[in-house]
Amino acid sequence: MHWLLKRIFYFIPKSGIMEVRIEESWKQVLQEEFEKPYFKKLTDFIRQEYRAHQVFPPAKCVFNALDSCPISRVKVVILGQDPYHGPGQANGLCFSVNDGIAKPPSLQNIFKELKSDLNITPPASGNLQRWADQGVLLLNASLTVRAFQAGSHQGNGWEEFTDRVVRKLANDKSNLVFMLWGSFAQKKGGVIDNHRHLVLKSPHPSPLSAHRGFLGNGHFGKANQYLRDHGGQPIKW
C-alpha cells in the first residue's frame, strides 16, 4: 500500500510543491489546495493511517469520485459523509459498493426511490460507477475511513478539501443539480446559489430517516427534467 500512497501524494524535492495524482482538470483547479499547510498535514495523517491500520477505500480509489468525473462533465453532485467502513465495500464513490457486495440499507433505499420515481428496476450490483461515468459526482466529505470506525478520519482536513470542491463547482459552473440528503450534506451545500443551480434537499436515505421524506422525494426525475430544460442529457439512472 505504501507505494500507492507515494504515487498519489508526494513532494517535488526542489520546489517543495505537493504533486497529487488526480484527474488533470481537477488537478489544475485544486492546485492551490495541495500547497496549503492543512493538505500537507492531511497527507501525513493518511500515510500513517494506511501504515498502521486497515483503511478504506483502497489507496488507488481515494480520488475515484474526481478521477471518474472531470470537472467539465459534472452534471449532478451527490454528497455523502464517509466511505463505507466494512471490508470490500468502499470504492471511492459515495453510497456505492463494489460489484458482488451486498447493498447497504441506504443504497437499498436509493434504489427503492428510483423504482418509485422513474420505475427503474434495481440493478443487481450496487456499484454506481455507471452514474459517475455520466457526470454524477459522488463525493464523500471525508475520502478515507479506518475499518469498522465510522467518522474516524473526520476533522483531519478532508472536509476542507471537499468544501473547496463544492465551492469551485458552485461558483464556476451553472445549471448543476445538487442532491443534498440529510442535514450534514445540506450544511456542506450551504455555499450553493439555488438561483444558479437546482438544489434538491430531503432527509437522508438511511433507514433511520428515509421514511421522513427521502422516499417519495422524486429527486431523480426532477434532476433529469432540469437537465433537459437546460439543454443537457438526462442521466440513465
Side-chain angles (χ1 to χ4, degrees):
M1 194 66 72
H2 302 326
W3 67 272
L4 278 173
L5 286 169
K6 288 178 181 177
R7 289 185 63 184
I8 294 170
F9 311 119
Y10 65 91
F11 280 93
I12 300 174
K14 291 184 179 180
S15 64
I17 295 175
M18 175 71 76
E19 176 78 10
V20 177
R21 297 299 190 189
I22 195 171
E23 191 276 327
E24 188 60 31
S25 66
W26 285 111
K27 182 177 180 179
Q28 291 178 12
V29 301
L30 296 171
Q31 186 60 54
E32 290 183 4
E33 297 303 298
F34 304 146
E35 297 170 16
K36 291 180 179 179
Y38 88 86
F39 197 84
K40 170 59 166 60
K41 291 179 181 178
L42 170 63
T43 56
D44 289 344
F45 169 76
I46 295 301
R47 285 191 183 105
Q48 180 57 35
E49 283 290 291
Y50 273 98
R51 290 189 192 104
H53 305 281
Q54 187 177 22
V55 173
F56 300 125
K60 65 182 180 181
C61 297
V62 168
F63 292 117
N64 192 24
L66 300 174
D67 289 338
S68 298
C69 201
I71 192 168
S72 63
R73 291 177 50 206
V74 177
K75 300 178 182 179
V76 178
V77 182
I78 299 177
L79 297 179
Q81 192 163 352
D82 266 357
Y84 294 122
H85 53 80
Q89 291 180 307
N91 61 11
L93 307 174
C94 74
F95 296 107
S96 175
V97 293
N98 286 310
D99 294 332
I101 299 296
K103 301 180 185 100
S106 291
L107 184 55
Q108 292 180 35
N109 283 331
I110 289 170
F111 286 140
K112 283 181 184 178
E113 177 54 25
L114 264 176
K115 176 65 175 175
S116 173
D117 187 10
L118 298 176
N119 198 30
I120 294 175
T121 300
S125 174
N127 192 334
L128 303 181
Q129 184 66 49
R130 63 192 178 280
W131 293 4
D133 293 341
Q134 297 177 74
V136 181
L137 181 65
L138 296 159
L139 184 69
N140 276 313
S142 294
L143 300 189
T144 56
V145 68
R146 193 183 296 181
F148 310 113
Q149 297 184 39
S152 51
H153 286 184
Q154 292 177 12
N156 287 284
W158 277 133
E159 293 89 349
E160 186 171 350
F161 176 73
T162 53
D163 279 351
R164 182 60 175 164
V165 172
V166 173
R167 196 175 299 112
K168 287 294 293 183
L169 289 168
N171 293 343
D172 294 358
K173 293 178 71 75
S174 298
N175 302 324
L176 298 180
V177 179
F178 289 86
M179 294 183 178
L180 308 180
W181 299 334
S183 58
F184 181 89
Q186 289 164 25
K187 183 177 179 181
K188 193 171 184 69
V191 298
I192 303 164
D193 182 351
N194 59 13
H195 297 292
R196 186 170 183 170
H197 306 283
L198 177 62
V199 180
L200 300 173
K201 298 180 181 181
S202 83
H204 194 274
S206 162
L208 298 175
S209 57
H211 64 284
R212 299 176 189 158
F214 175 81
L215 296 174
N217 66 21
H219 282 185
F220 299 104
K222 291 173 183 176
N224 276 356
Q225 188 59 55
Y226 182 85
L227 293 173
R228 291 189 194 96
D229 290 347
H230 291 84
Q233 290 294 318
I235 303 299
K236 295 179 180 179
W237 301 106

